[in-house]
Amino acid sequence: MNISVKNPDTEPVEMSYSEAIKDALDIALKTDERVILMGEDIGVYGGAFQVTGDLVHSYGEDRVMDTPISELGGAGIAVGAALTGLRPIFEFQFSDFATLAMEQIVNQAAKVRYMLGGEVSVPLVMRFPAGSGTGAAAQHSQSLEAWLAHVPGLKVIQPTTPHDAKGMLLAALDDPDPVMIFEHKLLYKTKGMVPQGHYTVPIGKANIARPGTDVTIVATSIMVHKSLAAAEELAAAGISAEVIDLRTIRPIDRETVLDSVEKTSRLACVYEGVKTLGIGAEISAMVAESHAFDFLDAPILRLGGSENPIPYNPELEKASVPQVDDIVSNVTNLVKGKI
Amino acid sequence: MAKQKMRNVPFALKKYSSEQLKGALRKMYLIRKFEEGAENCYTRGLIHGTMHLSIGQETSAVGSCMPLAADDQITSTHRGHGHCVAKGAEVSRMFAEFFGKETGYCKGRGGSMHMADVEKGNLGANGIVAGGIPIAVGAALSSKRLNTGKVVLCFFGDGANNEGAFHESLNMASIWKLPVVFICENNKYGMSTSIERSTSVKNISERAAGYSMPGVTVDGNDFNAITEAVDTAVEHARSGNGPSLVESLTYRWRGHSKSDRNRYRTKEEINDWIDRDPIIRFSSFLVQNSVLNDEEVKAIEISVDAEIEAAIEFAKSSPDPLLSDVTRDVYTEVAQ
Amino acid sequence: MDMSSGTIAVWHKSEGEMVNEGEALFDIETDKATMEVESPGTGTLHFVSAKEGDVVPIGQAVAWLFAEGEEVAEPAGSNGPKPTAKEGSDLSSVDIDTAEAGVVEISPATMARTRATPLARRVAKKLDVNLQSVCGSGPRGRIVRVDVEQAAKSGAASLSAQTPWVGGKTGAQKTADELGLAYTKVPVDRMRSVIATRLTESKSTVPHFYLNADLQIDKLLEMRAQINLALIDSDAKKVSVNDLLIKACATALKDVPEANAAWDGDNIIKFDDAHISVAVSIDGGLVTPVVRHAQKKDIQTISIEIADLAARARMGKLASKEYQGGSFSISNLGMFGVKSFSAIINPPESMILAVGQGIPQFVPDDEGNPKLATVMSVTLSCDHRVVDGMLGAAWLKKFKELIENPAALMLN
């Protein structure tokens, strides 16, 4: 676990994913005057997912700013602020609304540094509650991280545990470039041990969540949890799966993935975003064109979201993304040479 | 010259010294000749891509930037060469950028539409219509939060005033009382679409009322008028009273870009505006008010010609970027 | 004709000379003939890089034609491999590693036939396993690592790369096309390819020598008839002459054990038991299922076993271990009217017996008078690295004894 802890003496405490994020925001607001939070209903309402909570009471409306419903304008203001000395953290109420702000995220934030020949940096952090499973249907359930990961100039992360949610947000604040954080809604209430005080978890480094020898499962966000559950079942059936929590999807930690595939000779990618042209496609290609190709003993498998908008009906909703059973059966077939 | 009769003295003469006014004229010439030089280079096939020339809009640019302090900031548009020069850029580095050279303001990576001069407060031209408006508001937010006292001038055209970003930005600048001045350079056409066909109000400044901010329409080709309007707005912002909208009426002599055939306006209209060259108007005004004489005007022209020529030479002889540097500066290198 | 390179025989035009389209430019010599090459266009000839007598690989430019008015400048990149990615270029972050020793060299024909994962190929190279002889357990016969490892353990044929031209074209199609001969093109399938590889390897690397003998098989035929008479009331399968031959081979090997061996480079592997590979003709080719420990089995057991193996072979249902690991081969073409023939050794075995048809002939009796006998001609091919003439002869003598006095075959 690669972290740098500034208060190694304090005991870690158990907290939820959203509490961990709030903790990071609190530390940031407290220690760096340049940090401001922007988003819809993040003030007294406490944020749509109650992440910001009561921060406005501690730091005031000037630093915890409720914006009007103006994603494009708001995102652009965040870009301008980041360009000129502030450290804004912009919260989108749902990742789906990133679509309204794409102009400022993709044409401006991602490109200003490059277009200006390196004269400026855009130290902007944006947070996106993402993913399906809450019955919010098609326009409030998407996983669009691959869209943004496709853009040079952005960094895109998907922390999966409270520990990483806090540490990677704090790392994002240290980063001089725009960092897009996709938080799966179903993770907000999950709990874990979190060190107190300031620490960072590096962006660009994957984590081997569970070592194994028969197959490498590269997963993102909530699919890491499902893959770990699947790995338990697979182990009972005699299959040792190595689960890699990718954590950062731009830039991908090639080394960790390739080393693992060389070791196990099999690869399955599990992700919630639509399967076609998604993160798994990138990981598969990355492995296939690398030195790890020589060690593949089976085709590369992808399990991703199905080719439809997320449906309202709960069974259809579940059937639209990989579940633990899907992972178990598909990986079993992969390891048994049936694919 | 004496400024005793304040009431009847034109604003520019009241506010600025002769040196400053001569400097303003020189800048206008610099813009004009820069644009013409760029156009010339383009016609000779020396410049890659297209360009959006602001010939005819020099006074609006220079007049708007006059009230600014050195560390005040501007955001600009795809038609931003004028703003760039007005904010104090060196034409040599601008030409170098046009030629895609490593010595350009953007090291050859940005080109005409993304010209910036961050040191002088020019946060950059923008290739997206209304792309720079929220950014300007963000810069104003920084100024307010960090208490730097800076004012941000946000240039955009008549076309931008119909973008959603315009609406969102003015609204937020207003509710948060941010120190930004919105300057809409209305040159009557958003590419080929006239303001009458695109905009539901007659004067864009009327929209200011929708955002509870002062709004004014002035003749952007009249130095006194534009500089006074912007000066008022800048003071308004600097004293913490928030944003204003200044509509600067002007006209571009050339087409939208180099591919424009001018099918949407008449030759008569264009010539009518050319006959009312704002630079000549300003130089006449200065000569009439004895700020300088005709010979000095000529001398300025000649000096500018020389500066442009040297700038183009500098650009031509500057080094090209290395191909191996193509991915440099996508991200910021952080010292480990 | 198949060319990978040609020799410039003579230039008809020289540097700087004007050439018209269709004019003879130069003659090129191949292994078959000298051909004239016409100019593809009109222009002046420059940068003639191949001289008369030079051997030039296919695809390499030998000269350039410049059109009128065209600036004469040395064109770049006409020869050699494509440039690798520019230094520092990030356009494709593909690993351009230099090939390491683990690269598997397999001929194009083999590559097209064999489905094998990259890991399987790598392991095959390392363990010296010929992928052609590995049965793949994956979908569509894909060979995976464990298949290779298993094949290595069970001693599949090794990849001794002495025959790089196996699978190569002979130009038969090209000539037929040129001469306008009618034909049907049959793609070489897996079995044909395996046969081609293995037997070419055998014929070209194993020092064969051949021993002939004529056997009088009347007593053998009589014994068979009696055996089958005894079986007539049961459902049991009839015993064939071949079954008896197999038994005889195994018994002979028991008595001459040095001949029951295989060449393995540093060692000769002398098998404890006789594992007889029996050539079985199947649709489109042949396969050699093995009767294991044949010297211990009685005639009837051998008979039933070989019948089952042959039947399954014809249905393509043999496991790889059932046709690998033989110590001696027998091939019988007698039923097709072949008088005698010499068979190709089935590596890594060191002998193969080719059996011909039993033909009525006059032979001298004890008094020297002619009598009619059924004479079967056999030819024993031997690998001289393992079996010298004396040893082969000893075996053949023993075999003949058993055949001509077959009662011994009933003993175990």
Side-chain angles (χ1 to χ4, degrees):
Chain A
M1 219 165 9
N2 13 39
I3 60 171
S4 65
V5 182
K6 287 189 187 166
N7 300 327
D9 294 328
T10 52
E11 279 297 300
V13 291
E14 197 192 41
M15 59 171 78
S16 72
Y17 188 99
S18 57
E19 284 168 341
I21 298 172
K22 181 185 173 193
D23 193 14
L25 295 173
D26 190 18
I27 291 171
L29 285 162
K30 192 183 316 231
T31 55
D32 189 344
E33 274 178 359
R34 304 170 299 171
V35 172
I36 57 169
L37 308 189
M38 296 172 69
E40 292 161 17
D41 309 300
I42 61 168
V44 296
Y45 188 90
F49 294 94
Q50 294 301 310
V51 173
T52 46
D54 58 4
L55 288 174
V56 69
H57 297 305
S58 309
Y59 297 99
E61 288 181 340
D62 275 358
R63 298 194 68 203
V64 182
M65 297 172 69
D66 279 332
T67 69
I69 305 178
S70 306
E71 284 83 3
L72 172 61
I77 289 177
V79 171
L83 260 175
T84 50
L86 289 179
R87 295 258 157 168
I89 306 176
F90 191 94
E91 175 179 310
F92 283 84
Q93 200 161 87
F94 284 83
S95 66
D96 313 62
F97 308 159
T99 52
L100 290 130
M102 286 302 254
E103 200 284 290
Q104 286 292 335
I105 299 173
V106 172
N107 292 334
Q108 311 295 341
K111 296 177 167 62
V112 168
R113 174 176 172 76
Y114 186 81
M115 290 192 297
L116 268 50
E119 291 293 310
V120 296
S121 295
V122 183
L124 170 63
V125 175
M126 291 180 146
R127 297 178 37 244
F128 303 83
S132 68
T134 59
Q139 298 170 332
H140 290 68
S141 305
Q142 292 172 84
S143 296
L144 299 178
E145 53 276 357
W147 286 24
L148 296 190
H150 189 58
V151 181
L154 299 178
K155 295 184 184 174
V156 182
I157 65 178
Q158 289 184 277
T160 61
T161 60
H163 176 280
D164 288 354
K166 176 177 170 183
M168 292 184 88
L169 175 48
L170 290 172
L173 282 162
D174 282 347
D175 202 305
D177 295 317
V179 180
M180 311 283 115
I181 311 181
F182 283 80
E183 304 158 358
H184 200 288
K185 305 182 193 79
L186 295 180
L187 290 178
Y188 281 135
K189 297 225 184 327
T190 59
K191 292 200 189 214
M193 299 308 286
V194 177
Q196 294 184 63
H198 185 282
Y199 67 94
T200 56
V201 171
I203 292 174
K205 196 90 191 72
N207 181 43
I208 299 179
R210 181 192 173 113
T213 55
D214 295 331
V215 58
T216 299
I217 300 179
V218 177
T220 57
S221 192
I222 200 167
M223 291 301 155
V224 172
H225 296 275
K226 295 197 199 222
S227 298
L228 287 170
E232 276 299 308
E233 283 188 45
L234 289 165
I239 294 175
S240 165
E242 176 151 297
V243 178
I244 295 183
D245 176 359
L246 206 57
R247 299 201 293 199
T248 303
I249 57 168
R250 176 181 265 274
I252 291 179
D253 181 355
R254 270 174 62 94
E255 207 183 299
T256 302
V257 173
L258 296 181
D259 284 349
S260 177
V261 174
E262 276 202 24
K263 183 176 75 165
T264 67
S265 297
R266 295 182 190 87
L267 174 63
C269 306
V270 187
Y271 50 111
E272 182 163 325
V274 173
K275 174 175 166 176
T276 313
L277 292 151
I279 295 163
E282 173 58 33
I283 296 167
S284 306
M286 181 184 89
V287 169
E289 70 184 8
S290 75
H291 52 82
F293 171 79
D294 296 334
F295 295 91
L296 282 173
D297 204 31
I300 301 173
L301 178 69
R302 292 174 298 159
L303 297 175
S306 57
E307 306 291 319
N308 52 273
I310 300 293
Y312 166 68
N313 170 288
E315 295 312 310
L316 288 180
E317 183 186 45
K318 285 211 254 313
S320 297
V321 301
Q323 301 295 342
V324 176
D325 290 343
D326 299 313
I327 304 173
V328 173
S329 58
N330 279 284
V331 171
T332 301
N333 285 338
L334 181 68
V335 174
K336 292 212 180 324
K338 299 217 183 110
I339 296 180
Chain B
M1 105 113 219
K3 298 174 187 182
Q4 304 95 329
K5 292 193 191 157
M6 289 300 191
R7 262 174 308 136
N8 292 330
V9 174
F11 177 83
L13 300 177
K14 271 192 285 198
K15 179 95 189 199
Y16 301 114
S17 67
S18 301
E19 280 320 298
Q20 286 172 310
L21 292 170
K22 285 184 208 172
L25 179 64
R26 188 172 197 286
K27 272 197 177 149
M28 290 185 206
Y29 270 114
L30 203 53
I31 296 171
R32 173 68 57 88
K33 302 222 177 237
F34 176 87
E35 299 288 63
E36 286 171 348
E39 189 172 36
N40 195 283
C41 289
Y42 177 88
T43 317
R44 286 160 185 271
L46 295 172
I47 292 185
H48 184 52
T50 191
M51 49 184 59
H52 307 86
L53 299 171
S54 62
I55 296 175
Q57 302 186 193
E58 300 84 357
T59 303
S60 175
V62 175
S64 301
C65 290
M66 279 302 275
L68 296 180
D71 65 348
D72 285 333
Q73 293 160 327
I74 67 166
T75 61
S76 172
T77 67
H78 56 281
R79 198 175 305 285
H81 308 157
H83 310 138
C84 206
V85 172
K87 197 63 173 74
E90 291 167 33
V91 289
S92 56
R93 292 194 63 195
M94 287 175 69
F95 270 117
E97 184 59 30
F98 271 42
F99 280 60
K101 304 286 181 153
E102 195 68 35
T103 49
Y105 271 111
C106 302
K107 303 203 179 70
R109 268 65 172 183
S112 161
M113 280 200 293
H114 311 105
M115 193 77 68
D117 180 9
V118 185
E119 260 176 36
K120 296 257 171 68
N122 180 352
L123 298 176
N126 210 298
I128 304 290
V129 171
I133 303 183
I135 292 176
V137 176
L141 178 64
S142 285
S143 163
K144 186 158 180 177
R145 287 284 175 272
L146 298 171
N147 255 310
T148 58
K150 296 183 195 187
V151 171
V152 184
L153 236 57
C154 177
F155 286 103
F156 54 94
D158 45 281
N161 106 101
N162 293 317
E163 277 278 358
F166 168 88
H167 167 67
E168 297 186 19
S169 302
L170 267 70
N171 181 55
M172 283 187 269
S174 179
I175 55 174
W176 294 329
K177 278 191 152 34
L178 298 177
V180 54
V181 176
F182 297 104
I183 303 191
C184 179
E185 290 180 314
N186 180 353
N187 59 17
K188 291 163 65 68
Y189 296 96
M191 200 150 124
S192 73
T193 309
S194 69
I195 191 86
E196 292 81 20
R197 295 172 63 222
S198 73
T199 304
S200 51
V201 290
K202 183 156 191 315
N203 295 311
I204 292 169
S205 61
E206 291 169 46
R207 289 187 160 162
Y211 307 103
S212 300
M213 66 173 78
V216 66
T217 299
V218 295
D219 178 357
N221 285 3
D222 174 352
F223 184 83
N224 280 288
I226 182 64
T227 203
E228 182 168 9
V230 176
D231 185 78
T232 306
V234 167
E235 281 317 305
H236 186 84
R238 216 185 289 286
S239 44
N241 292 315
S244 311
L245 174 58
V246 174
E247 182 184 8
S248 166
L249 298 176
T250 181
Y251 196 83
R252 57 168 162 81
W253 299 2
R254 300 287 189 267
H256 162 73
S257 70
K258 294 317 284 171
S259 341
D260 190 339
R261 308 257 195 280
N262 282 316
R263 289 191 188 125
Y264 48 93
R265 50 183 186 170
T266 61
K267 271 207 120 347
E268 289 74 37
E269 182 187 271
I270 300 174
N271 287 332
D272 176 52
W273 282 86
I274 293 178
D275 287 341
R276 295 179 285 127
D277 187 335
I279 298 185
I280 296 180
R281 186 171 166 184
F282 184 59
S283 65
S284 305
F285 165 78
L286 291 181
V287 167
Q288 269 165 32
N289 285 283
S290 308
V291 175
L292 74 173
N293 59 39
D294 284 322
E295 270 147 30
E296 286 170 288
V297 173
K298 211 74 203 87
I300 287 178
E301 264 206 77
I302 290 171
S303 141
V304 168
D305 281 333
E307 187 175 338
I308 295 292
E309 206 181 302
I312 294 178
E313 270 320 299
F314 169 77
K316 277 186 185 165
S317 57
S318 282
D320 287 306
L322 296 175
L323 295 184
S324 53
D325 283 341
V326 71
T327 56
R328 191 190 69 195
D329 294 326
V330 174
Y331 296 100
T332 310
E333 291 296 314
V334 178
Q336 296 303 315
Chain C
M1 72 202 115
D2 183 38
M3 277 176 66
S4 61
S5 63
T7 310
I8 304 283
V10 65
W11 274 100
H12 298 293
K13 296 283 176 182
S14 47
E15 178 83 33
E17 206 177 325
M18 176 69 186
V19 181
N20 287 315
E21 191 180 328
E23 273 193 273
L25 206 46
F26 60 89
D27 287 355
I28 191 149
E29 212 174 82
T30 67
D31 46 9
K32 284 283 160 64
T34 303
M35 284 173 26
E36 193 180 272
V37 174
E38 293 173 1
S39 176
T42 299
T44 39
L45 200 63
H46 288 285
F47 302 115
V48 176
S49 57
K51 300 184 308 297
E52 289 177 10
D54 279 351
V55 178
V56 182
I58 296 272
Q60 182 170 306
V62 296
W64 291 81
L65 262 186
F66 287 83
E68 195 179 314
E70 213 183 325
E71 194 195 317
V72 177
E74 169 121 46
S78 53
N79 309 326
K82 291 206 191 319
T84 53
K86 297 188 186 70
E87 209 191 279
S89 162
D90 230 58
L91 281 173
S92 80
S93 49
V94 175
D95 291 348
I96 306 176
D97 291 332
T98 47
E100 53 157 286
V103 170
V104 183
E105 284 154 36
I106 296 184
S107 70
T110 311
M111 289 283 259
R113 303 294 154 243
T114 320
R115 288 180 198 270
T117 66
L119 186 58
R121 292 180 193 278
R122 176 181 264 265
V123 173
K125 173 76 180 173
K126 202 163 67 136
L127 300 181
D128 197 28
V129 170
N130 183 353
L131 278 175
Q132 286 295 354
S133 61
V134 178
C135 212
S137 64
R140 296 177 293 280
R142 185 194 304 142
I143 299 170
V144 294
R145 176 192 31 201
V146 293
D147 301 329
V148 174
E149 286 171 343
Q150 272 169 18
K153 269 207 283 248
S154 70
S158 77
L159 183 72
S160 25
Q162 309 299 328
T163 54
W165 46 273
V166 169
K169 289 192 189 302
T170 58
Q173 181 180 352
K174 187 139 182 281
T175 306
D177 286 338
E178 279 167 10
L179 301 177
L181 309 175
Y183 62 86
T184 309
K185 196 160 73 168
V186 180
V188 170
D189 66 17
R190 178 90 187 272
M191 180 167 57
R192 275 264 67 85
S193 186
V194 173
I195 292 171
T197 311
R198 288 176 49 80
L199 294 181
T200 307
E201 188 185 307
S202 174
K203 205 78 210 269
S204 56
T205 64
V206 176
H208 284 65
F209 69 91
Y210 308 94
L211 303 176
N212 301 313
D214 284 343
L215 280 48
Q216 292 182 28
I217 60 170
D218 301 275
K219 286 190 189 161
L220 190 75
L221 293 172
E222 174 62 34
M223 188 168 102
R224 182 195 60 164
Q226 285 187 0
I227 291 173
N228 286 334
L229 198 61
L231 293 173
I232 204 159
D233 289 325
S234 73
D235 293 329
K237 170 201 172 290
K238 283 216 189 110
V239 165
S240 70
V241 172
N242 216 42
D243 298 331
L244 299 170
L245 295 177
I246 292 170
K247 178 69 185 169
C249 288
T251 309
L253 285 173
K254 195 173 77 166
D255 290 344
V256 187
E258 292 82 11
N260 188 29
W263 177 259
D264 193 19
D266 293 334
N267 302 299
I268 290 173
I269 309 298
K270 276 173 51 175
F271 295 97
D272 290 352
D273 298 297
H275 308 293
I276 310 295
S277 306
V278 182
V280 173
S281 168
I282 61 174
D283 215 19
L286 89 120
V287 85
T288 53
V290 179
V291 178
R292 295 223 179 272
H293 317 285
Q295 86 283 9
K296 291 191 186 143
K297 293 176 174 160
D298 62 60
I299 293 167
Q300 194 170 25
T301 308
I302 289 174
S303 175
I304 292 167
E305 207 176 290
I306 193 64
D308 168 60
L309 285 168
R312 284 195 288 118
R314 290 190 190 103
M315 290 192 287
K317 287 194 175 165
L318 283 182
S320 58
K321 64 178 197 264
E322 288 177 308
Y323 54 80
Q324 289 170 357
S327 65
F328 178 98
S329 286
I330 178 169
S331 178
N332 192 337
L333 292 177
M335 64 289 261
F336 301 109
V338 171
K339 180 176 185 301
S340 71
F341 70 104
S342 310
I344 303 176
I345 285 172
N346 199 6
E349 298 168 13
S350 54
M351 300 202 298
I352 182 168
L353 186 72
V355 178
Q357 188 180 35
I359 298 172
Q361 278 181 13
F362 284 105
V363 301
D365 66 12
D366 296 331
E367 278 94 47
N369 294 318
K371 72 163 182 184
L372 200 57
T374 313
V375 178
M376 180 177 81
S377 182
V378 301
T379 306
L380 180 70
S381 308
C382 304
D383 178 347
H384 210 304
R385 298 173 299 183
V386 181
V387 176
D388 297 327
M390 287 285 289
L391 189 60
W395 184 90
L396 194 55
K397 179 158 180 260
K398 187 66 204 172
F399 180 76
K400 180 171 162 140
E401 275 166 20
L402 288 167
I403 293 296
E404 293 184 336
N405 302 289
L409 294 177
M410 307 291 273
L411 306 169
N412 231 336

